[in-house]
Amino acid sequence: MPWLAVPYTDEARRSRLNRLYGIQGIPTLIVLDPQGEVITRQGRVEVLNDEDCRGFPWHPKPVLELSDSNAVQLNEGPCLVLFVDSEDDGESEAAKQLIQPIAEKIIAKYKAKEEEAPLLFFVAGEDDMTDSLRDYTNLPEAAPLLTILDMSARAKYVMDVEEITPAIVEAFVNDFLAEKLKPEPI
């Protein structure tokens, strides 16, 4: 562990940092820039996925491919998840490219206001993780399937259309942010 860490026995400092950064559990690795601004709250996940630290300091990607190691992020707040009907990386990559401009636009809008983006963005292929998520949230097997999952509120928003286009994704996100969508229980 080549980085600075707060000793577990230093309860006063740990308590201040827990409040400052909203830390809910351990282990937690938050990566800061030299000015003390958060680069990522997912340092632990990044280290597990990048043991050689090639992507350090792990600036957040606008769109993530859902995996066992990053699924914990689904609990952080509302997440747009685009389910695709293929184990083929080509389809997942095309889905990421489809939603990336929308994700970047939302992230930039909130960053300009010095706020965290209200959504995380994921693409989910066909694997055991995705099957478990569909089962847990009682989602249909349809693909493509555009959803917003809010695990903490135990709510889901589903757009089941034949074809997912950037305009459909953007309208879905904007309606969600404007609270125009009716949640379904998870």
Side-chain angles (χ1 to χ4, degrees):
M1 190 163 74
W3 47 80
L4 295 175
V6 176
Y8 188 77
T9 56
D10 189 345
E11 289 189 36
R13 193 167 9 162
R14 275 195 1 241
S15 180
R16 285 192 311 271
L17 289 171
N18 287 347
R19 284 192 307 277
L20 180 63
Y21 293 108
I23 296 169
Q24 304 273 325
I26 57 172
T28 296
L29 177 60
I30 297 174
V31 180
L32 307 174
D33 69 13
Q35 291 74 41
E37 298 295 319
V38 174
I39 293 174
T40 183
R41 296 178 179 280
Q42 301 304 320
R44 180 173 183 266
V45 170
E46 296 293 353
V47 167
L48 292 172
N49 289 327
D50 183 16
E51 291 179 11
D52 295 332
C53 298
R54 289 193 176 117
F56 181 80
W58 306 295
H59 289 279
K61 296 178 182 103
V63 181
L64 299 171
E65 194 159 334
L66 189 63
S67 67
D68 288 332
S69 61
N70 66 20
V72 68
Q73 293 179 15
L74 293 171
N75 295 312
E76 291 187 4
C79 299
L80 180 137
V81 182
L82 175 55
F83 292 88
V84 294
D85 185 23
S86 176
E87 294 177 9
D88 176 14
D89 283 343
E91 187 154 344
S92 290
E93 192 57 41
K96 277 199 265 188
Q97 289 177 9
L98 181 125
I99 63 176
Q100 183 149 338
I102 296 143
E104 288 172 343
K105 184 176 176 181
I106 295 292
I107 292 165
K109 176 182 174 182
Y110 283 86
K111 186 174 185 175
K113 297 192 285 185
E114 296 185 4
E115 296 177 13
E116 283 194 38
L119 278 172
L120 295 176
F121 295 82
F122 291 91
V123 169
E126 288 184 29
D127 57 22
D128 291 341
M129 172 68 230
T130 300
D131 291 343
S132 295
L133 181 59
R134 282 182 186 268
D135 289 345
Y136 177 75
T137 56
N138 197 27
L139 287 170
E141 291 296 320
L145 181 67
L146 184 62
T147 66
I148 294 175
L149 303 175
D150 189 345
M151 299 302 201
S152 62
R154 299 200 42 81
K156 64 183 175 186
Y157 307 82
V158 180
M159 172 148 307
D160 190 3
V161 294
E162 289 290 320
E163 183 180 353
I164 306 290
T165 66
I168 286 172
V169 174
E170 190 159 17
F172 185 57
V173 167
N174 289 336
D175 286 350
F176 171 78
L177 295 174
E179 299 181 4
K180 293 180 180 177
L181 301 177
K182 185 176 187 303
E184 298 174 40
I186 291 179

